[in-house]
Coordinates of all heavy atoms in Angstrom, one line a residue:
E367 N 84.9 103.6 98.7 CA 85.1 102.5 97.7 C 85.6 101.3 98.5 O 86.4 101.3 99.4 CB 86.2 103.0 96.8 CG 86.5 101.9 95.7 CD 87.6 102.4 94.7 OE1 88.3 103.4 95.0 OE2 87.8 101.7 93.7
T368 N 84.9 100.1 98.2 CA 85.3 98.9 98.9 C 86.0 97.9 98.1 O 86.5 96.9 98.6 CB 84.0 98.2 99.5 OG1 83.1 98.0 98.4 CG2 83.3 99.1 100.5
N369 N 86.1 98.1 96.8 CA 86.9 97.3 95.9 C 88.0 98.1 95.1 O 87.7 99.2 94.7 CB 86.0 96.7 94.8 CG 85.0 95.6 95.4 OD1 84.9 95.5 96.5 ND2 84.3 95.0 94.5
K370 N 89.1 97.5 95.0 CA 90.2 98.1 94.2 C 90.8 97.1 93.3 O 91.1 96.0 93.8 CB 91.2 98.8 95.0 CG 90.7 100.0 95.8 CD 91.8 100.8 96.4 CE 91.2 102.0 97.1 NZ 92.0 103.2 97.0
H371 N 91.1 97.4 92.0 CA 91.7 96.5 91.1 C 93.1 97.0 90.8 O 93.2 98.2 90.4 CB 90.9 96.2 89.9 CG 89.6 95.5 90.2 ND1 88.4 96.2 90.5 CD2 89.3 94.2 90.3 CE1 87.5 95.3 90.7 NE2 88.0 94.1 90.6
V372 N 94.1 96.2 90.8 CA 95.4 96.6 90.4 C 95.9 95.5 89.3 O 95.7 94.3 89.5 CB 96.4 96.5 91.6 CG1 97.8 96.9 91.1 CG2 95.9 97.5 92.7
V373 N 96.4 96.0 88.2 CA 96.9 95.1 87.2 C 98.4 95.3 87.0 O 98.9 96.4 86.9 CB 96.2 95.5 85.8 CG1 96.7 94.5 84.7 CG2 94.7 95.4 85.9
L374 N 99.1 94.1 87.2 CA 100.6 94.1 87.1 C 101.1 93.0 86.3 O 100.4 91.9 86.3 CB 101.2 94.0 88.5 CG 101.0 95.3 89.4 CD1 101.5 95.0 90.8 CD2 101.8 96.4 88.8
P375 N 102.2 93.1 85.6 CA 102.7 92.0 84.8 C 103.3 90.9 85.7 O 103.8 91.2 86.8 CB 103.8 92.6 84.0 CG 104.2 93.9 84.7 CD 103.0 94.3 85.5
V376 N 103.1 89.7 85.3 CA 103.7 88.5 86.0 C 104.8 87.9 85.2 O 105.9 87.6 85.8 CB 102.6 87.4 86.2 CG1 103.1 86.2 86.9 CG2 101.4 88.0 87.0
L377 N 104.6 87.8 83.9 CA 105.6 87.2 83.0 C 105.4 87.7 81.6 O 104.3 87.9 81.2 CB 105.4 85.6 83.0 CG 106.3 84.7 82.3 CD1 107.7 84.7 83.1 CD2 105.8 83.3 82.3
S378 N 106.6 87.9 80.9 CA 106.5 88.4 79.6 C 107.2 87.5 78.6 O 107.9 86.6 79.0 CB 107.1 89.8 79.4 OG 108.5 89.8 79.6
E379 N 106.9 87.6 77.3 CA 107.6 86.8 76.3 C 109.1 86.9 76.4 O 109.8 86.0 76.0 CB 107.1 87.2 74.9 CG 105.8 86.7 74.5 CD 105.4 87.1 73.1 OE1 106.2 87.7 72.4 OE2 104.3 86.7 72.6
R380 N 109.6 88.1 76.8 CA 111.0 88.3 76.9 C 111.7 87.6 78.0 O 112.9 87.5 78.1 CB 111.3 89.8 77.0 CG 110.8 90.6 75.8 CD 111.0 92.1 75.9 NE 110.3 92.7 77.0 CZ 109.0 93.1 76.9 NH1 108.3 92.9 75.8 NH2 108.4 93.6 78.0
S381 N 110.9 87.0 78.9 CA 111.5 86.2 80.0 C 112.2 85.0 79.5 O 111.9 84.4 78.4 CB 110.4 85.7 80.9 OG 109.7 86.8 81.5
S382 N 113.3 84.6 80.2 CA 114.2 83.6 79.7 C 113.5 82.2 79.6 O 113.9 81.3 78.9 CB 115.4 83.5 80.6 OG 115.0 83.2 81.9
S383 N 112.5 82.0 80.5 CA 111.8 80.7 80.5 C 110.4 80.8 80.0 O 109.6 81.7 80.3 CB 111.7 80.2 82.0 OG 111.0 79.0 82.1
C384 N 110.0 79.8 79.1 CA 108.7 79.8 78.5 C 107.7 79.0 79.4 O 106.5 79.0 79.2 CB 108.7 79.3 77.1 SG 109.5 80.4 76.0
T385 N 108.3 78.2 80.3 CA 107.4 77.3 81.1 C 107.6 77.8 82.6 O 108.6 78.4 83.0 CB 107.8 75.8 81.0 OG1 109.2 75.7 81.5 CG2 107.7 75.3 79.6
L386 N 106.5 77.6 83.3 CA 106.5 78.0 84.7 C 105.8 77.0 85.5 O 104.6 76.6 85.2 CB 105.8 79.4 84.8 CG 105.8 80.1 86.1 CD1 107.2 80.5 86.5 CD2 105.0 81.4 86.0
S387 N 106.4 76.5 86.6 CA 105.7 75.5 87.4 C 104.7 76.2 88.3 O 104.7 77.4 88.4 CB 106.8 74.8 88.4 OG 107.3 75.8 89.3
V388 N 103.8 75.4 88.9 CA 102.7 76.0 89.7 C 103.4 76.7 90.9 O 103.0 77.8 91.3 CB 101.8 74.9 90.2 CG1 100.8 75.4 91.3 CG2 101.0 74.3 89.1
E389 N 104.5 76.1 91.5 CA 105.2 76.7 92.6 C 105.8 78.0 92.1 O 105.8 79.0 92.8 CB 106.3 75.7 93.1 CG 107.0 76.2 94.3 CD 107.9 75.2 94.8 OE1 107.6 74.0 94.9 OE2 109.1 75.6 95.2
G390 N 106.4 78.0 90.9 CA 107.0 79.3 90.4 C 105.9 80.3 90.2 O 106.2 81.5 90.4
L391 N 104.8 80.0 89.7 CA 103.7 80.9 89.4 C 103.2 81.5 90.8 O 103.0 82.7 90.9 CB 102.5 80.3 88.7 CG 101.3 81.1 88.5 CD1 101.6 82.4 87.6 CD2 100.2 80.3 87.8
I392 N 103.0 80.7 91.8 CA 102.6 81.2 93.1 C 103.6 82.1 93.7 O 103.3 83.2 94.2 CB 102.3 80.0 94.0 CG1 101.1 79.3 93.5 CG2 102.1 80.5 95.5 CD1 100.8 78.0 94.2
G393 N 104.9 81.8 93.5 CA 106.0 82.7 94.0 C 105.9 84.0 93.3 O 106.1 85.1 93.9
R394 N 105.7 84.0 92.0 CA 105.7 85.3 91.2 C 104.4 86.1 91.6 O 104.5 87.3 91.7 CB 105.6 85.0 89.7 CG 107.0 84.6 89.2 CD 106.9 84.5 87.6 NE 108.1 84.0 87.1 CZ 109.0 84.7 86.5 NH1 108.8 86.0 86.4 NH2 110.1 84.2 86.0
L395 N 103.3 85.4 91.9 CA 102.1 86.1 92.3 C 102.3 86.7 93.7 O 101.8 87.9 93.9 CB 100.9 85.2 92.3 CG 100.4 84.7 90.9 CD1 99.3 83.7 91.0 CD2 100.0 85.9 90.1
Q396 N 103.0 86.0 94.6 CA 103.3 86.6 95.9 C 104.1 87.9 95.7 O 103.9 88.9 96.4 CB 104.0 85.6 96.8 CG 103.1 84.5 97.2 CD 103.8 83.4 98.0 OE1 105.0 83.2 97.7 NE2 103.2 82.7 98.9

Side-chain angles (χ1 to χ4, degrees):
E367 184 179 9
T368 59
N369 292 6
K370 292 192 181 221
H371 293 92
V372 178
V373 180
L374 290 173
V376 176
L377 188 68
S378 70
E379 280 185 359
R380 296 178 296 276
S381 298
S382 59
S383 175
C384 292
T385 60
L386 188 62
S387 67
V388 170
E389 187 175 314
L391 176 60
I392 290 170
R394 285 184 186 259
L395 290 174
Q396 288 172 331

